[in-house]
């Protein structure tokens, strides 16, 4: 249950803001049934033949594509998941001119499903897939309909457009994210432990003076001068 003082504070800062940016992580999508990585029931706490953090690495994808795709289809390729109250509220705020951008560490595309337009995906998206040989595009539905390691019509292996461990984030997405953060006067950080870098370090580029952190439990890094709310973000946003 959202606390009234937290709701009052959020309503107040949102009313004063002219340019709000939202920075979110896995906790934004857990209320839609998408598993996170580090919580008690997260993927890193489950037993697999290989540790999930190894499976989701660049070298593992190249060396063991069959194992990668078995895990990826079972745990990552969630095509029928629906947006929750947090996704819908952010899309509403964007339409009302309150939110200028959503910066997300998630790859599930739920912000776009809810209607958000300016979504900066730091770690890519399951909805985009490319042939590593010729660059031909394949949809998530194409990938789901292929057995084993998916191959392009040219014979090349198809790779999801997601950032694996050992891979670099898109410079274009990073630059756009930094620009949005520098111009924002309110930053809402939600559903993230701020444990994954370089993504977590982006909030240091925030140029405003009102910062709100919404998360279940403490974040991995201390965020100076932040108003912290311990709550499920979907439940909190639905009460606003």
């Amino acid at each position: 249950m959202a606390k009234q003082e937290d709701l009052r504070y959020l309503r107040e800062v949102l009313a004063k803001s002219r340019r709000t940016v939202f920075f979110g992580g896995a906790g934004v999508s857990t209320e839609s049934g998408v598993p996170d990585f580090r919580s008690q029931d997260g993927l890193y706490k489950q037993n697999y033949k290989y540790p999930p953090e190894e499976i989701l690495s660049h070298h593992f994808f190249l060396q063991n594509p069959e194992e990668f795709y078995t895990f990826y289809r079972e745990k990552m390729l969630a095509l029928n998941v629906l947006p929750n109250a947090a996704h819908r509220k952010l899309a509403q705020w964007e339409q009302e001119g309150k939110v200028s951008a959503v910066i997300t560490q998630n790859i599930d595309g739920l912000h776009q499903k809810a209607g958000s337009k300016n979504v900066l995906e730091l770690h890519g998206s399951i909805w985009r897939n490319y042939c590593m040989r010729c660059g031909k595009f394949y949809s998530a539905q194409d990938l789901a309909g292929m057995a084993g390691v998916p191959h392009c019509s040219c014979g090349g292996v198809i790779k999801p457009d997601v950032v694996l461990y050992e891979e670099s984030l898109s410079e274009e997405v990073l630059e756009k994210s930094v620009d949005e953060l520098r111009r924002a006067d309110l930053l809402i950080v939600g559903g993230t432990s701020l444990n994954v870098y370089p993504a977590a370090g982006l909030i240091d580029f925030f140029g405003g003076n009102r910062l709100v952190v919404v998360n279940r439990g403490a974040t991995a890094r201390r965020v100076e001068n932040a108003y912290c709310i311990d709550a499920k973000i979907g439940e909190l946003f639905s009460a606003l």
Side-chain angles (χ1 to χ4, degrees), residues 76-159:
M76 314 295 287
L77 202 60
L79 305 188
N80 298 317
V81 177
L82 298 176
N84 61 52
H87 301 106
R88 294 192 297 270
K89 182 62 73 171
L90 287 164
Q92 175 192 324
W93 286 340
E94 184 188 59
Q95 291 162 8
E96 294 171 351
K98 295 176 182 178
V99 167
S100 64
V102 169
I103 303 170
T104 181
Q105 299 173 78
N106 297 337
I107 61 174
D108 50 43
L110 290 177
H111 287 292
Q112 291 92 329
K113 272 190 180 182
S116 290
K117 304 298 183 186
N118 191 22
V119 181
L120 299 169
E121 296 172 309
L122 295 172
H123 297 148
S125 172
I126 63 169
W127 297 94
R128 299 185 299 269
N129 306 274
Y130 297 94
C131 172
M132 296 177 69
R133 180 183 294 175
C134 73
K136 182 179 178 181
F137 172 86
Y138 286 86
S139 70
Q141 290 86 350
D142 291 333
L143 210 66
M146 297 176 180
V149 179
H151 285 82
C152 176
S153 54
C154 78
V157 173
I158 300 169
K159 180 184 180 296

Side-chain angles (χ1 to χ4, degrees), residues 126-188:
I126 63 169
W127 297 94
R128 299 185 299 269
N129 306 274
Y130 297 94
C131 172
M132 296 177 69
R133 180 183 294 175
C134 73
K136 182 179 178 181
F137 172 86
Y138 286 86
S139 70
Q141 290 86 350
D142 291 333
L143 210 66
M146 297 176 180
V149 179
H151 285 82
C152 176
S153 54
C154 78
V157 173
I158 300 169
K159 180 184 180 296
D161 187 21
V162 298
V163 179
L164 302 176
Y165 289 106
E166 304 161 353
E167 295 180 344
S168 300
L169 274 62
S170 162
E171 286 295 328
E172 180 183 1
V173 174
L174 283 172
E175 289 174 7
K176 288 180 178 178
S177 299
V178 168
D179 180 61
E180 288 287 354
L181 288 163
R182 281 177 169 158
R183 293 192 291 155
D185 58 24
L186 169 62
L187 173 61
I188 302 175

Side-chain angles (χ1 to χ4, degrees), residues 29 51 56 65 71 80 112 123 144 153 194 206 217-218 225 227 237:
S29 293
L56 297 174
F71 178 88
N80 298 317
Q112 291 92 329
H123 297 148
S153 54
L194 295 174
F206 173 51
N225 302 315
Y227 184 95
F237 278 16

Side-chain angles (χ1 to χ4, degrees), residues 16 22 26 28 39 46 49 57 74 81 84-85 89 124 131 145 166 171 174 209 212 218 221:
K16 291 179 179 178
F22 178 81
V28 179
S39 71
Q46 299 178 28
K49 185 177 178 181
S57 66
E74 180 183 343
V81 177
N84 61 52
K89 182 62 73 171
C131 172
E166 304 161 353
E171 286 295 328
L174 283 172
N209 56 10
V212 178
R221 60 166 290 186

Side-chain angles (χ1 to χ4, degrees), residues 49-90:
K49 185 177 178 181
Y50 301 92
E53 56 265 48
E54 182 179 353
I55 297 173
L56 297 174
S57 66
H58 179 77
H59 80 271
F60 191 93
F61 173 79
L62 296 178
Q63 295 172 7
N64 301 280
E66 297 89 355
E67 290 280 355
F68 172 89
Y69 269 110
T70 297
F71 178 88
Y72 183 79
R73 286 193 177 96
E74 180 183 343
K75 296 297 183 181
M76 314 295 287
L77 202 60
L79 305 188
N80 298 317
V81 177
L82 298 176
N84 61 52
H87 301 106
R88 294 192 297 270
K89 182 62 73 171
L90 287 164

